Amino acid sequence: MNHLPSTARFSGVVPPVATPLHADRSIDHASLERLVDHLIASGVRGLFALGSTGETAYFTDDQRVEIVRTIVSATAGRVPIIAGAIELTAPRITETARRLTAEGVDAIVTTAPLYTLNSPTEIAGHFRAIAAKIDAPLWAYDVPVRVHTKLPLALLLELAADGVVHGVKDSSGDDGSFRRLVAANAEAGRPLQLLTGHEVVVDAMALAGADGVVPGLANVEAEGYVRLWDAAERGDWDTARAEQERLNRIFDIVFQPRGLSGDATGVGAFKAAMAARGLIDDAFMADTVESLDADAVASVREVLSRAGVLPVAVA
């Protein structure tokens, strides 16, 4: 069974890297390299490739490898990288994970099975089968809004005790459940690393004992999340709370688009803001996903302007 190497410790701010695209929806590798450099220069401690913010579901297997290859190359070993192998079932996840680890990522994260209808016993078998066949630490991605399965606390601790799963990326939005997991994990000797994806309550999750955060908004304002986490580690909760409230005002960008899908709204607002700040060249969304119209982009820029984060100097 895999054992987590010390070089792949994930903590602090670990942004889910967005995927910049050209007008023809091909990958904008130059913007992606620039984004990775900016995130690392901002003080993040790791990167999450091919998550929901990275629009991974919309890309082919070859495109996913392209994206990871660029992120790994641009990172150049400066921070660890965890990559999403998001597929229907264990055999396909294993194939994807092997291709991604061959590119040099440090860990793999995946969800419960998609589309299929499985029992908790079968879901446990799913994670066990993947972990046994890949040469990288495996993480569980708890995202019931997309998978329609909430990973039970007891299941996660069982998999951790058996060395199958080394961490959890929690995007459930269920902060009570996450806090219970933090407490149970501590009681069990902390076999799991625990990252929250709930970016508007990072100060509270840090106080509860989370190891880090995976905030999509960090693609827009990584520096703020780094300041927040650093303050939390110092026990400076007033500063952490103030930074969280400032970031939450910037997060208002996701409420500007109207009448679009969930994927188009959140990631579209992030990309529009990133382009406005000069972090990427364009804000195009993946194939079949609507990009923001001019009115929504103008509203996003207004939120950024009020927050005083427009534009940003990028090397």
Side-chain angles (χ1 to χ4, degrees), residues 156-178:
L156 292 170
L157 291 178
E158 171 194 316
L159 294 174
D162 291 344
V164 174
V165 168
H166 298 276
V168 177
K169 194 270 185 175
D170 185 281
S171 292
S172 68
D174 185 343
D175 297 332
S177 175
F178 183 70

Side-chain angles (χ1 to χ4, degrees), residues 248-271:
N248 289 355
R249 290 191 290 273
I250 299 172
F251 191 75
D252 279 349
I253 61 174
V254 307
F255 304 117
Q256 305 313 307
R258 296 288 187 270
L260 299 181
S261 70
D263 282 353
T265 299
V267 180
F270 293 158
K271 283 189 168 183

Side-chain angles (χ1 to χ4, degrees), residues 65-91:
V65 171
E66 280 186 54
I67 293 164
V68 160
R69 184 176 296 147
T70 295
I71 292 174
V72 169
S73 174
T75 299
R78 289 177 287 176
V79 297
I81 301 167
I82 186 167
I86 313 300
E87 279 289 355
L88 292 174
T89 54

Side-chain angles (χ1 to χ4, degrees), residues 48 50-51 56-57 64 84-88 93 96 109-111 114 141:
F48 177 19
L50 300 178
T56 186
R64 291 170 182 167
I86 313 300
E87 279 289 355
L88 292 174
I93 292 167
T96 298
V109 62
T110 197
T111 68
L114 300 173
Y141 192 173

Side-chain angles (χ1 to χ4, degrees), residues 124-145:
H126 165 86
F127 283 104
R128 292 180 188 279
I130 297 162
K133 295 178 181 178
I134 65 172
D135 188 23
L138 180 65
W139 281 54
Y141 192 173
D142 192 12
V143 57
V145 68

